[in-house]
Amino acid sequence: MTSATQPQPTYLDAADEILARIADGLYTPGTRLTLTSLTGCTDHAASDLRLALDHLAGTDAIDAVKERWYVPDDRPDGYTAHRAAQLLGAMIGQGAYPPGTRTPLRDELARILLTTPADVNRALGLLADQGILHFTDRTLPRVAQPPGGLPAEQWPQRLLATAREDPARQRLSAPFSRPDIQATRDAALQRWRYGACLPARDMTRQETLQHDVLARVARKAYDRADQQSPHQDSRLREAAARATACRDLPTVDVPLHERLYRFTVLAIALTDLANALATPARQGSSLRR
């Protein structure tokens, strides 16, 4: 008579669930896995989760450094700096920073591009190598030309095109007040900081809501720009060009963490654009020369 198959230890069940969550792309590469976060999203006890994490670290399924556990990051070296350079180049191409003007401060660029000051420095160097930026001294670089020879002012036309997109599509009644837009940004930033992505279906819904907000804000921004010279309100121009550039980041056939990155940088740009629209137009303003 054969004995019944013994169930596997509960910590191995927890390990299987952690691996499944990683395989589903629910964590940004390099994210720290904490007992607090895992007890909040699984039904396993902290004691089982600790054993599970130690077991996974022992099999090299996750990384461990001084009793801290991390999702493996197999992206190539310099990936985040290249991503920041690509996005900043797109913003310049949309007219956020016209030729001859200086880029924002490095800490501000880190906020805008959702990266570290070290990555900002590398991104600026990459754009300088492409001839898009020009360093004349040790201060901030100046914009030399848009990438690919694009015209310097595209954002008003892109705003209008965005506002007119899918006019017959049923909207999801996305929140539209400034506090709601700011709350969406704050929630996205919190997810990004903790490296916790939404499941694909929920991410798609959030992206659709964000698209609706962008379309409405784009209409308001275009109407203001149409009433004055686009150069007269640099704050509006910069935020609008950032929003249109962020919108072009892909959401199809990319990992969930890249979709979260796109969603978060666009949420930051939309908040800045809504704030710019809430203030009176500044006549004759310009970026730092």
Side-chain angles (χ1 to χ4, degrees):
M1 183 174 179
T2 60
S3 60
T5 302
Q6 294 295 320
Q8 70 175 0
T10 53
Y11 79 87
L12 291 180
D13 292 333
D16 288 342
E17 184 167 351
I18 293 170
L19 281 180
R21 291 179 63 82
I22 294 174
D24 288 341
L26 294 179
Y27 297 106
T28 299
T31 293
R32 182 184 171 192
L33 296 168
T34 67
L35 296 177
T36 300
S37 64
L38 288 171
T39 52
C41 63
T42 71
D43 293 328
H44 299 285
S47 56
D48 279 338
L49 288 168
R50 177 181 290 277
L51 290 173
L53 290 168
D54 284 338
H55 170 75
L56 292 174
T59 61
D60 293 329
I62 63 174
D63 298 330
V65 180
K66 295 182 178 179
E67 297 186 353
R68 294 185 176 184
W69 307 277
Y70 299 88
V71 175
D73 187 351
D74 57 0
R75 296 173 297 182
D77 182 52
Y79 175 89
T80 52
H82 279 83
R83 179 176 61 189
Q86 183 179 28
L87 180 54
L88 180 57
M91 292 173 180
I92 292 171
Q94 293 295 329
Y97 315 110
T101 60
R102 295 190 185 277
T103 62
L105 298 172
R106 285 172 173 80
D107 286 347
E108 176 65 5
L109 282 176
R111 180 189 76 88
I112 290 171
L113 299 171
L114 211 61
T115 192
T116 64
D119 276 346
V120 168
N121 285 332
R122 294 183 68 177
L124 294 176
L126 290 169
L127 293 177
D129 291 341
Q130 298 172 35
I132 295 171
L133 298 178
H134 177 59
F135 284 91
T136 56
D137 48 38
R138 293 185 178 180
T139 61
L140 295 171
R142 292 183 184 272
V143 177
Q145 62 181 4
L150 295 173
E153 293 289 348
Q154 290 194 77
W155 63 272
Q157 293 74 26
R158 288 296 307 280
L159 285 175
L160 183 59
T162 300
R164 289 176 171 174
E165 279 183 353
D166 304 327
R169 184 167 63 84
Q170 182 178 2
R171 299 196 179 277
L172 298 179
S173 299
F176 186 53
S177 68
R178 283 176 64 209
D180 286 332
I181 293 174
Q182 291 166 348
T184 298
R185 174 205 58 192
D186 294 343
L189 278 170
Q190 184 175 21
R191 280 197 168 276
W192 180 257
R193 287 166 182 154
Y194 286 101
C197 302
L198 289 167
R201 180 179 298 178
D202 294 335
M203 191 74 248
T204 298
R205 178 176 175 82
Q206 290 300 313
E207 288 166 346
T208 303
L209 289 168
Q210 188 181 59
H211 178 88
D212 291 345
V213 173
L214 175 58
R216 301 183 206 182
V217 176
R219 165 54 70 181
K220 290 181 176 291
Y222 176 81
D223 288 343
R224 174 177 292 190
D226 193 44
Q227 297 169 5
Q228 60 184 6
S229 167
H231 297 281
Q232 287 183 331
D233 195 335
S234 61
R235 187 181 177 195
L236 175 70
R237 176 191 63 220
E238 192 268 350
R242 278 202 283 124
T244 56
C246 292
R247 183 194 173 282
D248 290 341
L249 294 177
T251 59
V252 178
D253 296 329
V254 294
L256 285 174
H257 63 84
E258 286 300 323
R259 292 173 66 178
L260 179 61
Y261 176 78
R262 180 234 192 226
F263 184 90
T264 308
V265 292
L266 183 49
I268 294 170
L270 281 174
T271 303
D272 292 348
L273 182 54
N275 290 338
L277 289 169
T279 59
R282 296 185 294 171
Q283 299 300 318
S285 62
S286 63
L287 288 173
R288 292 185 304 277
R289 295 285 179 179

